[in-house]
């Protein structure tokens, strides 16, 4: 490109390009002081000025990225839980976000403020946010007695009182809105009660067990150390109960996992960040010793570590309710009292 300077008049075009890039003053100064232009000298000056300007632009962009990241974090409650970023979304609750989802959220946030940023800039801001010293949530900080409802409302299952405190972190929320009229009426559910009576053949003990199962799954209590098996003939209502539970929470918190995959290399990682894990077709065969061990591990309330495909291993405490549905008897290769207790 430097050879263009030696073509008569062509160097002036290059000078104009550099002038637009911010080297205007130094070029004018040089041309004013030198009646006879030294093309090589001019090229070196412009090259130096260009590099200097590029450094300045890069620093300005870096400062802008940091400013955007600080702005986003200042206006949006963020927390790290089990190595995952959660952002408190108004009208919903804490939502887990990967880097791409965060970049989209950043772009939408600044667009709402009247500042349009390109996708590449939003991605850089998202990367910067993940380097900030964000709040780290530990397991013992999550209140077992609170259930998050849509809109950041918190239901205390001990007192049945409802409060609003977005500063309290809960890893998932129920997709239902708080209705004070329901609490005032005594939480009567005649339609659901009648359906439950039909499913249980009006057996109060079975109805009570179903209520307890649903309560365990929907709460943040991780210490009940149980999994659930819905056993019955085809069409007896097993899938109906599971569908009701699934409809009460956003699908991002629900996953399906076969018992055999519990024993896979990445199987346990599937539980991380989930509120409900279901298997609606438990196979008609004995559960192997390896699967028994994994099921006990998943429901023991202890800290788990699992490999994650193409990512770093994750360490977490399982907070998901595990439900199996089957038309057959629940059978084990060897009798395991620990599993039977669960």
């Amino acid at each position: 490109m430097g050879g263009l300077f030696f073509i008569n008049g062509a160097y002036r075009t290059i000078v104009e390009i550099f002038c637009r890039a911010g080297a205007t003053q130094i070029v004018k100064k040089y041309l004013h002081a030198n009646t006879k232009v030294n093309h090589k000298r001019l090229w070196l000056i412009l090259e130096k000025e260009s590099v200097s300007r590029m450094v300045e632009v890069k620093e300005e962009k870096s400062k802008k990225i940091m400013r955007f990241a600080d702005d986003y974090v200042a206006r949006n409650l963020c927390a790290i839980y089990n190595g995952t970023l959660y952002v408190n979304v108004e009208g919903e609750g804490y939502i887990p976000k990967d880097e791409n989802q965060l970049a989209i959220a950043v772009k939408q946030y600044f667009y709402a403020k009247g500042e349009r940023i390109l996708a590449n800039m939003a991605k850089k801001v998202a990367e910067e946010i993940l380097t900030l010293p964000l709040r780290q949530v530990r397991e013992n900080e999550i209140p077992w007695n609170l259930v998050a409802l849509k809109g950041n409302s918190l239901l205390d299952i001990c007192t049945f009182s409802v409060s609003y405190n977005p500063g309290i972190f809960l890893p998932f929320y129920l997709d239902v809105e708080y209705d004070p009229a329901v609490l005032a009426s005594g939480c009567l559910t005649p339609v659901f009660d009648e359906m439950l009576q039909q499913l249980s053949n009006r057996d109060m003990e079975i109805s009570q067990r179903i209520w307890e199962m649903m309560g365990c799954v929907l709460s943040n209590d991780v210490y009940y150390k149980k999994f659930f098996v819905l056993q019955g003939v085809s069409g007896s209502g097993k899938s109906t109960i599971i569908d009701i539970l699934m409809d009460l929470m956003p699908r991002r918190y629900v996953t399906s996992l076969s018992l055999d995959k519990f024993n896979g290399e990445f199987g346990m990682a599937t539980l991380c960040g989930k509120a409900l894990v279901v298997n609606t077709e438990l196979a008609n065969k004995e559960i192997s010793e390896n699967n028994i061990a994994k099921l006990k591990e998943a429901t023991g309330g202890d800290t788990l570590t699992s490999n994650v495909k193409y990512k770093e291993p994750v360490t977490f405490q399982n907070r998901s309710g595990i439900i199996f549905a089957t038309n057959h008897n629940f059978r084990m290769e060897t009798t395991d009292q620990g599993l039977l207790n669960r």
Side-chain angles (χ1 to χ4, degrees):
M1 186 173 177
L4 294 177
F5 284 104
F6 297 96
I7 301 175
N8 184 31
Y11 78 91
R12 294 187 179 278
T13 303
I14 308 301
V15 169
E16 291 175 1
I17 293 174
F18 276 97
C19 287
R20 295 193 192 100
T24 308
Q25 295 303 319
I26 195 166
V27 170
K28 284 184 177 179
K29 182 179 179 181
Y30 177 81
L31 293 176
H32 178 74
N34 296 273
T35 55
K36 186 177 181 180
V37 176
N38 183 318
H39 302 99
K40 185 176 181 180
R41 174 66 177 161
L42 179 59
W43 169 254
L44 292 174
I45 290 174
L46 292 175
E47 186 177 41
K48 181 179 179 182
E49 176 66 17
S50 177
V51 171
S52 176
R53 179 58 181 161
M54 286 173 65
V55 171
E56 290 178 6
V57 170
K58 189 174 181 180
E59 289 178 348
E60 290 173 3
K61 185 177 180 180
S62 180
K63 291 179 180 178
K64 189 174 184 180
I65 290 171
M66 288 189 287
R67 178 172 62 83
F68 280 164
D70 290 338
D71 185 348
Y72 184 85
V73 172
R75 299 291 182 178
N76 297 272
L77 291 174
C78 300
I80 302 293
Y81 174 63
N82 285 337
T84 299
L85 173 71
Y86 284 73
V87 179
N88 189 284
V89 178
E90 183 65 30
E92 295 185 64
Y94 280 93
I95 308 296
K97 294 189 181 293
D98 59 26
E99 194 171 292
N100 291 331
Q101 293 169 333
L102 179 59
I104 294 172
V106 165
K107 189 173 182 180
Q108 292 173 339
Y109 168 73
F110 285 103
Y111 181 81
K113 290 182 63 178
E115 297 185 61
R116 296 190 178 186
I117 62 175
L118 298 177
N120 186 54
M121 172 64 80
K123 185 177 180 180
K124 293 291 184 183
V125 174
E127 292 173 355
E128 178 66 23
I129 290 173
L130 294 174
T131 67
L132 297 177
L134 301 174
R135 173 190 176 190
Q136 300 283 334
V137 179
R138 297 179 176 85
E139 289 294 342
N140 58 9
E141 297 178 38
I142 301 175
W144 68 270
N145 61 309
L146 295 182
V147 176
L149 307 179
K150 195 173 183 179
N152 286 316
S153 298
L154 302 176
L155 172 65
D156 189 321
I157 60 175
C158 294
T159 63
F160 281 95
S161 60
V162 176
S163 60
Y164 176 84
N165 187 346
I168 295 178
F169 175 85
L170 292 173
F172 46 82
Y173 67 93
L174 301 185
D175 197 17
V176 294
E177 296 181 354
Y178 166 57
D179 185 349
V182 174
L183 284 180
S185 67
C187 299
L188 300 178
T189 54
V191 176
F192 179 80
D193 291 343
E194 178 56 31
M195 182 202 71
L196 202 57
Q197 288 293 311
Q198 293 181 17
L199 292 179
S200 64
N201 197 27
R202 304 197 178 277
D203 187 317
M204 292 302 296
E205 185 177 357
I206 293 178
S207 296
Q208 184 63 27
R209 287 184 179 181
I210 294 174
W211 272 112
E212 290 177 356
M213 178 194 73
M214 298 181 75
C216 288
V217 171
L218 298 176
S219 75
N220 280 292
D221 185 359
V222 297
Y223 301 108
Y224 56 85
K225 297 184 180 181
K226 303 291 181 184
F227 68 94
F228 306 96
V229 179
L230 301 179
Q231 178 188 340
V233 298
S234 179
S236 59
K238 303 183 297 295
S239 296
T240 300
I241 294 173
I242 292 176
D243 287 343
I244 291 172
L245 285 170
M246 291 175 65
D247 284 344
L248 289 174
M249 56 187 70
R251 287 303 171 96
R252 69 172 70 91
Y253 302 129
V254 181
T255 190
S256 176
L257 186 67
S258 68
L259 188 54
D260 287 336
K261 288 186 177 179
F262 267 94
N263 203 29
E265 182 181 1
F266 311 115
M268 297 295 276
T270 307
L271 307 179
C272 186
K274 301 303 180 183
L276 177 61
V277 178
V278 299
N279 181 348
T280 56
E281 296 293 338
L282 186 63
N284 183 22
K285 65 179 182 179
E286 293 180 336
I287 300 173
S288 68
E289 290 187 27
N290 288 336
N291 287 340
I292 289 173
K294 284 294 182 180
L295 192 52
K296 287 169 62 179
E297 186 180 353
T299 55
D302 299 320
T303 299
L304 308 176
T305 299
S306 176
N307 290 329
V308 182
K309 197 170 185 178
Y310 305 128
K311 294 182 180 180
E312 293 295 318
V314 62
T315 298
F316 65 101
Q317 186 174 22
N318 179 35
R319 288 186 165 272
S320 61
I322 300 175
I323 302 178
F324 299 104
T326 179
N327 298 336
H328 316 286
N329 290 330
F330 187 83
R331 297 175 291 132
M332 298 179 285
E333 277 186 353
T334 57
T335 302
D336 188 293
Q337 192 58 46
L339 189 67
L340 291 176
N341 291 340
R342 287 164 166 74

